[in-house]
Amino acid sequence: MPWPVALFAVLGAGNLLALTLDLPVLEWLTKPLLAPLLAAHLWRATGTGHRLVLAGLGLATAGDTALLMDGPAAFAAGLACFVGTQICYIAAFVAAGARDHLRARPKVLTGYLGVWLVANAALAPSLTAPMIPLIALYSLALVLMAATARVLGAGAAWGGAVFVVSDLLVGLGAAGVDFAGRPVAVMLTYVVAQFLLVDAFVRPGRGAGEDRPHGSRAPA
């Protein structure tokens, strides 16, 4: 197992432990390092061959850090960073052929847009007015990412779907709906989703839409 993946698993487990036992210091020590470790994993395998994904992980790092802070401004900043992450991922999947893939499978996009409409209609009455357009914009980028991710196969498809589940749980929290274990479930699904999405670009033959031959290199 590559060292970034091993360390990612250890820190992911540490973050879940921090949430379970309410250890904010451990949460701060683990969460901001998750996306950079995935970036290191991708870099070791492909160099600069997937710059869009690397940029998305950079934005995810900023978003993860912002969401460790309290207050609506921090939440909005985190949301804005993750909009950027989803846009970077969408662009990478489109470069890998997602447009043609979805054109041949219109029900996939229709299904994800249906989830977007239902989720936003259900959450909107419980959200503050400024949050409604922010949540709508982010969730639209999220479902488009999940739909386009299918171009890279089953692992990426599952990663996109699990990311949607993770952020639906975040949306429930923003709407004031909470339940025991929700923060742990949010992070567990987020960690799994991010790994599956990044790993789809690491595997040989995946993500060929970006300039892989010129930037790729074998893992050290």
Side-chain angles (χ1 to χ4, degrees):
M1 179 186 294
W3 69 262
V5 175
L7 191 51
F8 175 80
V10 170
L11 292 186
N15 188 260
L16 296 176
L17 180 65
L19 291 169
T20 302
L21 300 180
D22 191 20
L23 302 172
V25 173
L26 181 58
E27 189 179 3
W28 270 93
L29 289 173
T30 54
K31 188 176 182 181
L33 295 176
L34 294 172
L37 284 169
L38 288 179
H41 176 45
L42 182 62
W43 184 278
R44 285 181 83 240
T46 69
T48 59
H50 296 297
R51 291 178 292 275
L52 288 168
V53 184
L54 291 170
L57 289 167
L59 288 164
T61 302
D64 282 339
T65 304
L67 292 175
L68 284 169
M69 305 175 199
D70 295 325
F75 184 79
L79 208 63
C81 290
F82 274 104
V83 168
T85 294
Q86 305 303 352
I87 290 173
C88 287
Y89 286 1
I90 290 167
F93 291 129
V94 168
R99 187 181 291 109
D100 291 338
H101 181 85
L102 288 177
R103 190 176 292 123
R105 299 163 181 83
K107 290 183 180 179
V108 171
L109 185 57
T110 300
Y112 271 114
L113 290 176
V115 169
W116 175 74
L117 285 171
V118 170
N120 278 273
L123 292 175
S126 302
L127 297 171
T128 61
M131 290 305 300
I132 293 174
L134 289 176
I135 293 288
L137 173 64
Y138 173 72
S139 57
L140 179 59
L142 174 67
V143 297
L144 290 175
M145 181 281 295
T148 55
R150 294 172 59 94
V151 70
L152 293 191
W158 276 109
V162 174
F163 214 138
V164 170
V165 171
S166 182
D167 282 343
L168 280 174
L169 293 170
V170 173
L172 288 175
V177 178
D178 207 357
F179 55 86
R182 186 188 63 83
V184 174
V186 167
M187 279 307 298
L188 176 60
T189 49
Y190 171 71
V191 166
V192 170
Q194 285 280 45
F195 175 76
L196 288 173
L197 290 169
V198 173
D199 192 56
F201 287 96
V202 171
R203 292 177 183 274
R206 301 296 191 184
E210 291 191 54
D211 191 16
R212 191 183 188 101
H214 295 288
S216 62
R217 55 187 173 89

